[in-house]
Amino acid sequence: MLFGVTTSLLAYACLATAVTTFTVPHLAGQDDTPALLEAMKDLSSDSTILFESGITYNIFTPIQFPELTNVEIRIEGNLTYPTDIPTIQKIVGAAGFPGSWITFTGGTNVTLQGSLDPHWGWIDGHGQAWWDAQNQINRPHGIAFSHINNGVIRNMKIWKVSSHPSR
Ligand SMILES: *[C@@H]1O[C@H](CO)[C@@H](O)[C@H](O)[C@H]1NC(C)=O
Ligand SMILES: *[C@@H]1O[C@H](CO)[C@@H](O)[C@H](O)[C@H]1NC(C)=O
């Protein structure tokens, strides 16, 4: 009996540090941000967040991650912002906009990892239209990766940003 209790305590200790891999869901034509943010409530520590290869995710509204501990974000699929400028301007200009389209609030041991695949793992900011229009009003910053101890950014690829990423 005592032996059984000890074993299950050990098993529990192992489970507690296991890394959960969460594959971000995608729905055609829909904004994929809300489902990710909902799931993040339970994934802010010891997890891998995977944007999987073969999928173009619609990041139609900004992503603001909660504080993260021991988390790896892997961008292996493509991520696309809204294509039309007024939609973005309205969001960026609104109260409560986190400052960047993708914002890391902070944390410890956080890795933002892209992909070496030339066809996938791109974040497409659709910036060409902004450059063409010479439009700088409420243009979004791409990614803010800040307030993180032991943060790593690796192999990230950004296509046609409308402004430089901030750190
Ligand atoms: C950092 O996080 C990763 C998961 O992304 C984990 O495997 C690793 O053990 C963590 N490192 C430390 C020092 O906790
Ligand atoms: C992923 O995005 C990049 C940059 O926009 C693009 O060149 C590439 O064709 C996209 N990949 C697929 C498979 O659509």
Side-chain angles (χ1 to χ4, degrees), residues 17 19 45-48 69-73 108-111 150:
T17 54
V19 172
S45 60
D46 302 310
S47 62
T48 297
T69 305
N70 300 339
V71 172
E72 185 172 47
I73 313 280
T108 303
N109 184 24
V110 178
T111 301
N150 274 325

Side-chain angles (χ1 to χ4, degrees), residues 64-147:
Q64 182 170 24
F65 288 106
E67 281 213 21
L68 304 174
T69 305
N70 300 339
V71 172
E72 185 172 47
I73 313 280
R74 284 173 37 196
I75 314 264
E76 297 182 3
N78 275 358
L79 271 56
T80 181
Y81 292 11
T83 49
D84 83 294
I85 292 177
T87 299
I88 292 193
Q89 284 175 323
K90 201 172 154 207
I91 294 171
V92 173
F97 177 67
S100 294
W101 207 256
I102 300 176
T103 305
F104 289 80
T105 308
T108 303
N109 184 24
V110 178
T111 301
L112 175 60
Q113 162 121 0
S115 155
L116 294 174
D117 184 329
H119 303 294
W120 291 105
W122 290 91
I123 297 181
D124 190 345
H126 300 289
Q128 189 64 48
W130 295 73
W131 295 110
D132 291 349
Q134 303 197 344
N135 192 334
Q136 306 209 342
I137 301 164
N138 286 335
R139 57 185 188 158
H141 291 280
I143 301 174
F145 190 80
S146 37
H147 311 297

